[in-house]
Amino acid sequence: MTALLNAIVLAANTDNFHPQDEFDLPAWISIHVGPLDLSVNKAVVYLWIGGLATILFCVWIMRFGLSLTPSRRQTTGEALYDAVQSQIVETSLPSRAISTWFPYVASLFFFIWILNLIGFIPLPISNDTFHIAGLKVPTWGIYAATANLSVTLALALITFLATHEEGIRHNGVRGYFRSWIPAGVPKSLLPLIVPLEVISQFMRLISLSVRLFANMLAGHMLILVMIGLIFIFSSYAIAVIAIPAAIAVYIFEVAIVVTIQAFVFALLSAIYIGGAVEPEH
Amino acid sequence: MSVLLAAASGDLPKLGKAIAFGVGVGLGAVGAGIGIGNIFGSMIQAVARQPELRGELTGIQWLGFALTEAVVFYALLGGLLAYVLV
């Protein structure tokens, strides 16, 4: 037993395995505007690709060649539109806010969905390089822009600001902030309830952004660690277990988590905005 | 692996932190596991009793799943913060 432990410790000692390096973001093109750091790094490049892919995908699927006898492409587009409309928007937004906020919620869903999916396609966008035939080539790696708290926090902030703007626009300042307090609360409890409600508004911001961020981070980490087990134990025998395990995690992430997280982010955004437009009392 | 390294080198604070991190995230996973099991169990029961409601229930099911699952990640994130900062 002790011999085995020593062997493991030795194996771990000799190899440098740092899966977290995948999430380092050194600046590739340094841009500083006053106190703002607008440098281009890996996450920014992934965001560009994601934004471009979202626009191209949505234009391709819905914007031309529509007919009364729909092609397969048009059927898929209509099914996606219908899914967003019936599952996300109509269940959570009041009818008078649907026309204003349907585009936002649908874009949010498609943008996050495609960003997440791109995160599981190995792309030659990486900080490390290797030499092949005398050429310096970036190593192929998986990285998701949504596995970065800044990206998800920015998206959550848009929802957060939109929520309160809509609440105030539809109910007035007084009416909106009064609606935060549950009906029928005795006056003596107000000093306890008001801070709680204010905190819960900010907790939404944290939970919305951290949920997406941590899900994607944990998914990528799991795949990297599974494959990294081979290098930690520096033995190919581990690959018999590690590779199938990594593939299983990969399939779970691509088949379920990617879509669910985009769906939940869009649905919660719609619920928050809908709740502000039409408070329950 | 860092647990074994720390044990071998006698680095007790690091060892303790690694164990605390593991146990903390594990306990978080227990709670979320029970919750997710409850959600899918109730979903199966509901669909078995009223199959025609499946479409409406699916959205609620996935929302509940994601809200519950996120609890593990709060534990993971809190644990990581404690591990890195303390």
Side-chain angles (χ1 to χ4, degrees):
Chain A
M1 190 63 205
T2 330
L4 182 70
L5 263 182
N6 276 338
I8 291 171
V9 169
L10 271 180
N13 235 342
T14 47
D15 283 306
N16 286 320
F17 173 62
H18 300 294
Q20 68 272 26
D21 285 359
E22 195 69 21
F23 300 96
D24 275 354
L25 292 173
W28 290 348
I29 304 167
S30 193
I31 305 167
H32 288 271
V33 183
L36 286 176
D37 183 2
L38 301 176
S39 307
V40 175
N41 55 33
K42 189 158 72 172
V44 176
V45 173
Y46 265 89
L47 271 178
W48 286 343
I49 296 173
L52 198 68
T54 312
I55 294 169
L56 290 179
F57 173 73
C58 293
V59 167
W60 172 73
I61 210 159
M62 275 318 258
R63 275 290 159 178
F64 56 87
L66 305 180
S67 66
L68 279 178
T69 49
S71 62
R72 202 181 208 173
R73 170 178 61 86
Q74 190 183 338
T75 322
T76 316
E78 282 171 1
L80 282 171
Y81 186 97
D82 188 55
V84 174
Q85 189 174 26
S86 64
Q87 289 286 339
I88 300 180
V89 173
E90 279 178 355
T91 55
S92 45
L93 282 173
S95 49
R96 60 180 162 147
I98 282 184
S99 58
T100 323
W101 290 100
F102 180 84
Y104 170 67
V105 174
S107 326
L108 207 54
F109 173 74
F110 283 114
F111 184 51
I112 295 172
W113 189 41
I114 286 173
L115 269 185
N116 287 351
L117 276 175
I118 286 174
F120 286 98
I121 303 169
L123 290 175
I125 302 167
S126 161
N127 301 316
D128 305 318
T129 52
F130 70 105
H131 293 272
I132 183 167
L135 273 172
K136 239 182 155 183
V137 186
T139 51
W140 293 60
I142 53 171
Y143 175 81
T146 41
N148 182 327
L149 189 54
S150 310
V151 174
T152 56
L153 191 60
L155 291 172
L157 264 175
I158 302 173
T159 296
F160 183 76
L161 294 178
T163 304
H164 301 305
E165 189 270 337
E166 280 297 283
I168 290 170
R169 196 159 68 91
H170 282 275
N171 302 305
V173 178
R174 247 182 97 80
Y176 176 57
F177 286 109
R178 187 177 282 171
S179 75
W180 283 15
I181 301 158
V185 172
K187 272 231 161 64
S188 53
L189 274 178
L190 279 184
L192 200 71
I193 295 287
V194 170
L196 269 179
E197 291 295 326
V198 173
I199 289 170
S200 86
Q201 292 287 334
F202 284 94
M203 282 304 288
R204 284 176 175 188
L205 187 61
I206 296 169
S207 69
L208 198 58
S209 55
V210 165
R211 178 178 306 112
L212 178 59
F213 153 69
N215 256 294
M216 299 313 290
L217 183 78
H220 282 77
M221 256 334 192
L222 260 180
I223 294 170
L224 291 172
V225 168
M226 289 292 175
I227 296 185
L229 281 178
I230 301 167
F231 302 102
I232 290 175
F233 290 99
S234 49
S235 146
Y236 287 114
I238 300 292
V240 179
I241 311 163
I243 299 287
I247 292 173
V249 174
Y250 185 92
I251 291 172
F252 171 70
E253 291 287 322
V254 172
I256 299 181
V257 173
V258 156
T259 316
I260 293 299
Q261 289 309 318
F263 170 75
V264 165
F265 199 103
L267 179 59
L268 282 178
S269 295
I271 288 175
Y272 292 158
I273 293 171
V277 171
E278 227 158 61
E280 276 152 30
H281 37 82
Chain B
M1 218 36 54
S2 56
V3 174
L4 296 170
L5 268 181
S9 60
D11 186 354
L12 282 180
K14 208 175 165 188
L15 176 66
K17 275 198 326 189
I19 292 174
F21 177 47
V23 172
V25 177
L27 286 177
V30 167
I34 294 170
I36 291 172
N38 262 337
I39 290 166
F40 282 94
S42 316
M43 177 70 184
I44 292 168
Q45 280 206 345
V47 174
R49 287 176 191 206
Q50 266 178 311
E52 68 275 11
L53 279 183
R54 184 183 207 128
E56 279 173 53
L57 291 177
T58 309
I60 304 171
Q61 171 204 5
W62 288 120
L63 179 64
F65 167 76
L67 290 175
T68 316
E69 186 207 34
V71 172
V72 190
F73 295 114
Y74 301 148
L76 182 71
L77 221 71
L80 269 179
L81 278 181
Y83 187 79
V84 175
L85 294 183
V86 178

